[in-house]
Amino acid sequence: MYSVFTPRIQHGSFLLKRIVFLCFVLVTSLIAAQENPKITSAVDTTFIKIGDQVQWTVSVEVDSVDQVIFPEGQTFSPLETVEAYATDTTRKKDRLTLQKIYALTQFDSGRYKLPTQRIEINGTGYFTDSLFIDVATVPVDTIAQNLYDIKPLISVEKNNADLWKYLLIGLFILLVLAGLFYWFVLRKKPLSEEEKEALLPPYDRALLELKRLENSKYLIQDEFKEYYSELTTIVRSYLEEDAHVSALESTTGQLIDKLELLRDSGELDLEIDTINQFKNILQTADLVKFAKSKPSTAAAERDRKLVEQIVVQTHDALPEPTEEELMQLAEYQEEQERKKQKKKLIIGIASLAALLLIGTSIAGFKFGFTYLKDTVLGHPTKELLESDWISSSYGYPPIVLETPKVLVRQEVKLPPEAKATITDIQAFGYRSAVGLFTIGTTSVTMNPEAEPDFGKTLEQIIKGFESQGAKNIITKQEEFTTISGVKGQKIFGSGKFAVPESEELIKGKYTVLLFGGKGFQQYIIITWLDDDTYAQEIVDRILTTVEVKTEV
């Protein structure tokens, strides 16, 4: 029994091992299949026009615990990344599907390769497939849509909206200056203590100064030199002003000699003791100032009192002033006051003129001196330029344009020879009261079959200039296109023109615009001074607003 069944048992064991091995392989492969990420990428189109966008989508299927890093920045070169949208996440059991969309573009035509992109999962890099994107140019339909030349540069009108602010600031500054001028020049200011003291008579002023010297700290601080210097200056100034003795520049001996001569001649009634006392005081002062002598405080006080007595005695000894002398003194004081006021007035006017000059210079550098002058004094074409402009239609066929003033209808009589081809003429015009500035429009209706002759019209316009006295007319010609694309002829140039207010010819410029078609003709004539910058701005602005009808 044993020997028969043993091989069978061994054979069953082998089958069992094979089954276990196959199950292990199957489980392992299933686990591996669950762990390996799945990456797919696609674009919504492989053909775009220049500037269009292509949407590149990449999807990654991973476990919920895996870490995924998508491409960032300009990694799609030569294509440009316009935007990287937020990642969209979808969960299914323990698996996640991450989807990210990139918007790409290119601005040059050609065939471009979208390179492979590296997607990092748990530190391991995985690469997408590359593909090609075709970028085509945008075709231009030259049949359905006309091509136009580049429009010429348009002169932008100078913006003076803030000018009123500067005018208000200037007015405020003028008011401030006027207030300062009144306050410091015209206003009668209250006198200070020093000014009040200076207006006192010499006698009263001398006594006041002696009183102030008595209350000073010179003697307390042993400043005898300063004390005696001020003491002698007070008495000498009084003698010079009241007794008319040249005392300030005289030595002690000279001053005493002068006082003795005045006493002997009877002009100054002073006692000899008074003169001697004054002589002793002056000699003491000389010793203190030059020999550094130091008298006692009591002696210094006594000398001040003696000087006060000398001033009083001298004042009493002086004869009373006559009425004529008093009048002369009053006139002198009035004259001095007038000189003082005149000096203040001159200083005030000079200061005001300097401030005005500075303000004018600043405004001139900011706005230009010519513009400032024309703003203050006025300029006819500048006023036209800054006025409210009017847009209107003139004549038939109509001519539409903006002008600073309304054009007035002009009476035009057709000559008999012109009635065969011309049905009607409608003319409108404006002329400035000063200078050469004129604007004119003319619309001519002709027989339906008649063709406009620009050359003949221009010849008649030039002859019209010459008939009015113009000379040396220079003519240039070029094509002109209105804002709506209507083409015409522009004839422009310069010459010397006559104006009613002047007997001499003045240099000016002109521009003629000619338009027309079968059965009609239109033209615009503008003239202005050669050096008139405001008129040039007006002309440039008018030319940018011209519009005409091409059909009757």
Side-chain angles (χ1 to χ4, degrees):
M1 291 289 291
Y2 181 77
S3 60
V4 173
F5 286 99
T6 300
R8 291 183 178 179
I9 294 173
Q10 292 176 350
H11 180 68
S13 178
F14 173 76
L15 291 175
L16 181 59
K17 291 180 179 179
R18 287 294 301 270
I19 292 171
V20 173
F21 175 74
L22 290 174
C23 290
F24 175 76
V25 172
L26 179 60
V27 172
T28 303
S29 62
L30 289 175
I31 294 174
Q34 290 180 350
E35 293 179 351
N36 287 339
K38 184 179 179 181
I39 300 175
T40 59
S41 63
V43 292
D44 59 345
T45 180
T46 59
F47 181 86
I48 60 172
K49 294 180 180 179
I50 290 177
D52 286 348
Q53 296 180 7
V54 58
Q55 303 286 334
W56 184 74
T57 305
V58 57
S59 298
V60 179
E61 185 180 341
V62 294
D63 288 339
S64 59
V65 296
D66 291 340
Q67 184 180 9
V68 181
I69 299 177
F70 288 99
E72 295 181 0
Q74 298 293 337
T75 62
F76 297 89
S77 181
L79 297 177
E80 297 183 18
T81 303
V82 178
E83 184 177 1
Y85 297 97
T87 304
D88 185 19
T89 305
T90 304
R91 177 183 290 273
K92 187 176 182 182
K93 294 183 180 180
D94 60 344
R95 301 285 287 178
L96 294 178
T97 300
L98 306 178
Q99 185 182 74
K100 193 170 184 66
I101 300 175
Y102 296 85
L104 311 175
T105 189
Q106 176 55 245
F107 296 98
D108 288 327
S109 60
R111 185 177 177 85
Y112 297 92
K113 181 180 180 181
L114 195 159
T116 59
Q117 298 297 310
R118 186 179 188 272
I119 299 174
E120 187 175 306
I121 303 174
N122 295 328
T124 303
Y126 297 86
F127 293 90
T128 63
D129 295 331
S130 63
L131 50 88
F132 288 93
I133 304 295
D134 293 316
V135 182
T137 58
V138 179
V140 180
D141 188 356
T142 58
I143 298 176
Q145 183 173 344
N146 296 328
L147 295 177
Y148 299 103
D149 292 335
I150 298 174
K151 291 293 183 180
L153 294 175
I154 299 175
S155 298
V156 179
E157 182 182 3
K158 188 174 182 180
N159 186 7
N160 295 316
D162 294 335
L163 184 59
W164 65 272
K165 297 180 181 178
Y166 295 102
L167 292 177
L168 287 179
I169 293 173
L171 180 60
F172 175 75
I173 293 174
L174 288 177
L175 291 176
V176 172
L177 292 177
L180 293 175
F181 182 75
Y182 167 78
W183 184 261
F184 291 104
V185 178
L186 301 180
R187 182 180 67 94
K188 192 172 183 180
K189 297 179 286 294
L191 298 177
S192 63
E193 292 298 326
E194 291 78 8
E195 291 174 332
K196 290 180 181 179
E197 185 176 331
L199 293 177
L200 291 174
Y203 173 70
D204 296 335
R205 189 167 64 253
L207 293 180
L208 182 64
E209 291 175 350
L210 289 172
K211 190 67 176 177
R212 187 184 299 117
L213 181 62
E214 180 184 5
N215 299 325
S216 67
K217 297 181 180 180
Y218 290 138
L219 299 181
I220 298 175
Q221 298 174 354
D222 289 341
E223 296 176 352
F224 290 95
K225 181 177 180 180
E226 289 77 5
Y227 179 86
Y228 274 96
S229 295
E230 189 168 336
L231 179 64
T232 55
T233 301
I234 293 171
V235 68
R236 285 173 179 268
S237 299
Y238 167 72
L239 291 174
E240 186 151 333
E241 291 183 58
D242 214 0
H244 305 293
V245 178
S246 55
L248 290 174
E249 298 180 358
S250 300
T251 62
T252 298
Q254 292 173 344
L255 179 57
I256 297 302
D257 292 341
K258 292 176 182 179
L259 293 176
E260 290 176 348
L261 288 174
L262 290 173
R263 178 182 178 280
D264 295 339
S265 63
E267 296 181 15
L268 188 62
D269 188 13
L270 281 179
E271 296 180 0
I272 190 65
D273 292 339
T274 302
I275 296 175
N276 291 332
Q277 290 176 354
F278 184 43
K279 179 179 179 181
N280 293 332
I281 294 172
L282 292 177
Q283 290 175 344
T284 302
D286 290 339
L287 292 173
V288 171
K289 290 187 290 184
F290 303 111
K292 296 183 180 182
S293 175
K294 187 177 180 181
S296 64
T297 302
E301 286 283 356
R302 186 174 60 253
D303 288 343
R304 188 199 62 77
K305 292 179 181 179
L306 290 174
V307 167
E308 186 173 347
Q309 294 176 5
I310 292 170
V311 169
V312 172
Q313 292 178 12
T314 304
H315 178 263
D316 294 340
L318 291 173
E320 291 293 330
T322 63
E323 183 177 353
E324 182 179 356
E325 290 176 340
L326 291 175
M327 291 182 61
Q328 290 179 352
L329 179 61
E331 291 179 357
Y332 173 77
Q333 291 177 345
E334 290 179 0
E335 180 65 22
Q336 292 297 112
E337 185 65 24
R338 282 195 297 269
K339 288 181 179 181
K340 186 177 180 181
Q341 290 296 330
K342 184 177 180 181
K343 183 178 180 181
K344 288 183 178 181
L345 185 63
I346 292 174
I347 294 175
I349 294 175
S351 302
L352 183 61
L355 290 173
L356 289 176
L357 180 62
I358 294 172
T360 303
S361 301
I362 294 173
F365 283 115
K366 182 174 180 59
F367 299 103
F369 289 98
T370 302
Y371 181 83
L372 184 64
K373 174 182 70 67
D374 295 337
T375 301
V376 175
L377 302 180
H379 193 282
T381 49
K382 180 179 182 294
E383 294 172 0
L384 286 176
L385 177 63
E386 297 176 352
S387 64
D388 294 331
W389 283 45
I390 301 163
S391 178
S392 185
S393 175
Y394 300 96
Y396 183 81
I399 300 174
V400 181
L401 71 163
E402 288 185 9
T403 55
K405 296 290 183 180
V406 176
L407 306 187
V408 180
R409 183 182 291 273
Q410 308 293 316
E411 294 295 332
V412 180
K413 293 184 178 180
L414 284 174
E417 61 273 14
K419 293 182 178 180
T421 57
I422 298 177
T423 304
D424 187 25
I425 294 180
Q426 297 183 29
F428 298 81
Y430 167 81
R431 184 188 184 281
S432 174
V434 180
L436 184 63
F437 185 75
T438 61
I439 310 171
T441 66
T442 304
S443 298
V444 182
T445 305
M446 302 181 294
N447 292 331
E449 300 301 324
E451 293 286 347
D453 188 348
F454 289 164
K456 187 175 181 180
T457 301
L458 177 61
E459 183 180 349
Q460 292 175 350
I461 292 173
I462 298 299
K463 286 183 178 179
F465 287 157
E466 292 175 345
S467 66
Q468 296 174 0
K471 295 181 180 180
N472 303 330
I473 298 176
I474 300 174
T475 300
K476 300 177 183 179
Q477 185 171 342
E478 64 182 26
E479 190 179 76
F480 181 85
T481 305
T482 66
I483 53 177
S484 64
V486 179
K487 295 186 181 297
Q489 293 295 320
K490 177 182 178 182
I491 296 89
F492 60 99
S494 61
K496 291 188 174 181
F497 298 86
V499 292
E501 64 268 14
S502 176
E503 296 181 358
E504 298 181 358
L505 297 178
I506 58 177
K507 191 174 182 181
K509 293 182 179 180
Y510 72 92
T511 291
V512 178
L513 300 182
L514 296 172
F515 303 93
K518 184 173 289 188
F520 74 96
Q521 188 173 351
Q522 304 153 298
Y523 55 90
I524 302 168
I525 304 175
I526 309 174
T527 62
W528 68 98
L529 288 176
D530 183 33
D531 57 351
D532 192 342
T533 57
Y534 306 112
Q536 183 66 60
E537 292 184 42
I538 294 176
V539 173
D540 294 340
R541 179 174 172 180
I542 291 175
L543 295 183
T544 61
T545 64
V546 172
E547 187 56 78
V548 295
K549 286 270 184 114
T550 58
E551 296 180 358
V552 181

